[in-house]
Amino acid sequence: MLMRILLIVLVILVLVLLALSFHIVPQNYEGLVETLGKYSRTVKAGFVMIFPGVQRIRKVSLALQPLEISKYRIITKDNAEITTSLTLNYLVTDSYKYFYNNTDSVESMVQLIRGHLRDIIGRMELNEALGSTSQINAQLAEAIGDLTDIYGIRVVRVNVDELLPSPEIQKAMDKQLTADREKTAAIARAEGEARNIELTTKAKNDALVATAKANAEAIKTQADADAYRIKKLQESLDSAGEGYFRNQSLDSFNQLAQGPNNLIVVDKDEISNLGKIPAAKKIWDQSKKED
């Protein structure tokens, strides 16, 4: 009876030991087998058999993992303080290095990235850094390169999410931005007023030129009309006979005799020319009526 009990206990112990001996390493994991606390081998995903109590297995994920690096402060080349935060994706490329070469490989990787980012931004002035996020990302990715390989880690992507100046600098930048906008608006208003004055002056000048041209045309037209009348007058006088001018001269003397001033001294050769005066007047008045 006692032997049977011992046999049953022995079978149970064997079954328990067998159960403890078999482990499953999930997909995209590796297992690090330790014997008496010392690394012995690396196993892939699947069933793994170890000696319980003597060996243990540590499972390391090989999948891509995201990581957010909390905000921290950096001083730029022109002594401005900015706050930055990063996100990255990494994966374990060597489970042995990842687990045994460092007590915390992820934290070591984060410190390495922070150090390189401080160095990159520290060589830039504030305005340059704020406008060069993509350039900073490229420089940071190139700087870390394969350096994280010593931790058994490869950084697939690293991205600077934000670069924020200190509150004091932000206030100063807001004031500067407001001043720049007001300056731009003032320049735009001044240019608009100058353009308006220019257009108004041009319109006035064009009006003056047009008026001057119109006056000149009117004067020219009047001069042409007067010249035409004088020409016609001369032609009429030239075509009139001497008898006509004598009659006009007699009429002129009669009118002078009837007026208050009836004394006139004229050369005898020019007496006949007096008749041309009323004749010319009649012809002139007639030409103006025709116009």
Side-chain angles (χ1 to χ4, degrees):
M1 184 67 180
L2 182 59
M3 290 299 295
R4 183 179 294 180
I5 294 174
L6 290 175
L7 182 60
I8 293 173
V9 171
L10 182 60
V11 171
I12 293 174
L13 289 175
V14 170
L15 291 175
V16 170
L17 289 174
L18 287 175
L20 294 175
S21 298
F22 288 100
H23 288 265
I24 297 176
V25 178
Q27 178 69 32
N28 217 16
Y29 275 76
E30 281 185 346
L32 302 175
V33 179
E34 297 176 349
T35 303
L36 298 176
K38 183 180 179 180
Y39 168 79
S40 59
R41 72 182 191 277
T42 299
V43 295
K44 302 298 182 181
F47 282 102
V48 179
M49 183 176 180
I50 61 174
F51 297 102
V54 178
Q55 294 180 322
R56 61 180 299 184
I57 185 169
R58 299 182 183 274
K59 300 173 185 178
V60 179
S61 175
L62 303 179
L64 188 68
Q65 301 186 52
L67 178 64
E68 181 177 353
I69 300 178
S70 59
K71 295 180 180 181
Y72 64 101
R73 297 176 180 177
I74 300 177
I75 303 299
T76 62
K77 183 179 179 180
D78 51 351
N79 295 322
E81 182 182 284
I82 60 176
T83 302
T84 182
S85 63
L86 300 92
T87 55
L88 58 88
N89 295 95
Y90 72 94
L91 52 82
V92 176
T93 56
D94 190 320
S95 57
Y96 177 87
K97 291 181 180 180
Y98 174 78
F99 195 83
Y100 293 111
N101 283 7
N102 202 298
T103 56
D104 193 336
S105 293
V106 174
E107 181 60 27
S108 297
M109 174 189 66
V110 169
Q111 291 177 4
L112 177 67
I113 292 173
R114 282 181 172 179
H116 280 290
L117 185 58
R118 283 194 182 96
D119 180 63
I120 293 170
I121 295 179
R123 296 195 302 267
M124 294 181 173
E125 294 186 353
L126 176 61
N127 291 336
E128 181 186 2
L130 294 178
S132 306
T133 305
S134 58
Q135 180 182 349
I136 292 173
N137 288 337
Q139 291 184 20
L140 184 59
E142 182 180 358
I144 59 178
D146 298 328
L147 293 178
T148 54
D149 184 59
I150 59 176
Y151 311 124
I153 295 174
R154 181 166 65 88
V155 177
V156 178
R157 183 190 66 86
V158 61
N159 184 68
V160 177
D161 291 331
E162 61 180 10
L163 292 172
L164 296 177
S166 64
E168 293 77 12
I169 295 178
Q170 288 187 34
K171 290 179 182 178
M173 292 175 67
D174 290 340
K175 290 181 180 179
Q176 181 65 38
L177 181 60
T178 301
D180 290 342
R181 287 176 178 172
E182 292 176 352
K183 178 181 177 181
T184 302
I187 292 174
R189 285 195 300 269
E191 290 177 348
E193 292 174 358
R195 180 61 177 167
N196 183 52
I197 292 173
E198 179 184 353
L199 293 176
T200 302
T201 303
K202 184 178 183 301
K204 290 181 179 179
N205 291 338
D206 291 344
L208 290 174
V209 171
T211 302
K213 287 183 177 179
N215 291 335
E217 290 293 332
I219 293 173
K220 183 178 182 298
T221 302
Q222 184 64 41
D224 291 342
D226 291 343
Y228 177 77
R229 283 194 292 268
I230 291 172
K231 180 181 178 183
K232 290 296 183 182
L233 174 62
Q234 186 63 46
E235 291 176 354
S236 299
L237 291 175
D238 291 342
S239 62
E242 290 297 328
Y244 177 77
F245 291 121
R246 289 196 203 96
N247 292 333
Q248 293 297 319
S249 298
L250 293 175
D251 291 340
S252 299
F253 277 116
N254 289 333
Q255 291 177 7
L256 288 173
Q258 294 175 3
N261 299 320
N262 52 15
L263 178 62
I264 182 170
V265 179
V266 180
D267 186 88
K268 64 183 182 66
D269 295 330
E270 295 180 354
I271 292 177
S272 61
N273 291 334
L274 292 175
K276 294 182 180 182
I277 297 174
K281 183 176 184 303
K282 289 181 180 180
I283 296 172
W284 184 269
D285 292 341
Q286 183 63 33
S287 64
K288 290 185 70 176
K289 288 180 181 180
E290 292 177 356
D291 292 342

